[in-house]
Amino acid sequence: MARTKLIAKYSALDTSDLAERIFNTITTYIKEQGIENLPNLELNGRWTGTLSITEGGWRGDFDFLYPVLSMCRVDRRGNVAPDIAKIQKRVSAWREMLHTPHDDDKYIGVCDDSFDNDHYLNDEANEFYSASYKSELDYFLNSDKPDNLDNDKALTEKDDIFSAERTDGRRVFGEGFAVERIDSAEDMRKIMEAIQADFEAGGGSSWINPDFDMDSIEEMYAESSKDNRWMQWIDDLRNGRLGELPEDFDGLAEEFKD
């Protein structure tokens, strides 16, 4: 049940200064990119030690992965900044998850006997998979009749191309690609319907509960409208429309999250 190989694999990320590195990464992002898109972003820490802020991508099961806003605070004047105490709380939770053995470790490939290095992509390969997935997902969602099997085949073909190309050290894709998250009820409906159609045609298994009402997808995304109010809320704070607030106000504290 030992996890020594998994822990060693993440040693470049699991450093004593991880919280400070995350703090600096978020600070730099806000300075260079602003705050408009923060509700949609995640901070991902990979086994390579790389920290990135994106809307999604190929993630390792044991990566450090949290919404950026869960590690920030908003003061009463509408200033947004990373919060080291919140970051340290997430780092502590991630370390506990990484270091704590579990009865199922041998089945999920993280005990010393079942650990497989091939499951861990380097940064270049991760960028490729993210770019490929985004490209195919865009095509899939914009198709009149999305076909789940065709989508899988296209990703496999790109995987084969990359495997042949990467041996000479050339980059297949440039930097900056990221997967767009599914944040629309209509897009989710298309994906679920395509998976179900593939299953009914004998093309594989379906994870969709037969009792699941697809019309309830709208309810799944009802809270997403909160993101659309983000900048209006910041503007209200900056212009004093919310009245007198306490000096230690944090609009992203746990009691304000919902």
Side-chain angles (χ1 to χ4, degrees):
M1 193 185 289
R3 288 189 175 207
T4 53
K5 293 183 179 179
L6 176 70
I7 294 168
K9 195 71 175 179
Y10 275 89
S11 61
L13 179 64
D14 191 13
T15 57
S16 60
D17 64 343
L18 177 56
E20 288 76 16
R21 290 166 54 205
I22 292 170
F23 183 95
N24 293 335
T25 298
I26 297 175
T27 298
T28 299
Y29 181 91
I30 291 175
K31 180 179 179 181
E32 296 179 352
Q33 305 294 331
I35 66 171
E36 288 79 4
N37 202 34
L38 287 182
N40 304 315
L41 300 176
E42 300 164 330
L43 189 142
N44 180 214
R46 306 194 66 245
W47 68 270
T48 58
T50 299
L51 297 173
S52 62
I53 294 177
T54 70
E55 292 187 31
W58 289 90
R59 310 303 198 193
D61 291 339
F62 288 85
D63 284 3
F64 180 95
L65 184 64
Y66 288 94
V68 171
L69 283 184
S70 74
M71 295 178 284
C72 291
R73 66 176 291 120
V74 175
D75 67 18
R76 61 180 178 173
R77 296 179 179 82
N79 299 309
V80 185
D83 183 284
I84 192 66
K86 293 180 182 179
I87 293 172
Q88 289 172 336
K89 179 179 178 181
R90 271 66 185 182
V91 168
S92 177
W94 172 74
R95 283 187 174 136
E96 181 177 1
M97 178 273 296
L98 182 72
H99 289 263
T100 305
H102 190 278
D103 290 341
D104 293 332
D105 280 359
K106 64 181 179 180
Y107 302 114
I108 58 176
V110 297
C111 78
D112 288 356
D113 292 334
S114 65
F115 188 82
D116 187 351
N117 277 296
D118 291 340
H119 292 167
Y120 294 85
L121 304 175
N122 61 34
D123 288 339
E124 181 178 347
N126 193 72
E127 290 173 9
F128 168 79
Y129 279 106
S130 291
S132 297
Y133 187 71
K134 180 182 184 302
S135 174
E136 291 305 322
L137 184 60
D138 287 345
Y139 176 81
F140 178 83
L141 294 175
N142 290 323
S143 173
D144 291 334
K145 294 183 178 180
D147 187 308
N148 191 55
L149 185 58
D150 283 349
N151 180 249
D152 286 342
K153 287 181 178 178
L155 288 174
T156 300
E157 289 171 359
K158 289 193 175 186
D159 187 18
D160 291 341
I161 292 172
F162 178 68
S163 296
E165 290 286 340
R166 65 180 172 183
T167 55
D168 63 8
R170 287 183 290 154
R171 300 186 70 89
V172 178
F173 283 84
E175 296 182 0
F177 288 95
V179 176
E180 291 184 354
R181 295 189 304 177
I182 301 298
D183 54 10
S184 136
E186 181 59 30
D187 285 350
M188 179 59 78
R189 179 189 294 273
K190 284 185 177 182
I191 290 174
M192 295 181 71
E193 289 178 344
I195 292 173
Q196 187 64 19
D198 186 20
F199 169 68
E200 292 173 354
S205 59
S206 174
W207 52 266
I208 300 174
N209 187 321
D211 297 325
F212 186 84
D213 178 10
M214 285 194 175
D215 291 335
S216 67
I217 293 176
E218 294 288 347
E219 298 177 10
M220 293 169 56
Y221 287 90
E223 286 299 313
S224 65
S225 61
K226 181 179 179 181
D227 293 349
N228 299 330
R229 302 195 304 268
W230 165 250
M231 288 307 297
Q232 180 59 57
W233 177 61
I234 294 296
D235 187 67
D236 289 343
L237 281 171
R238 291 177 175 177
N239 287 280
R241 299 190 189 102
L242 301 184
E244 188 66 25
L245 297 170
E247 187 173 348
D248 63 350
F249 172 80
D250 176 8
L252 295 176
E254 297 297 326
E255 61 266 30
F256 291 103
K257 282 189 359 180
D258 297 326

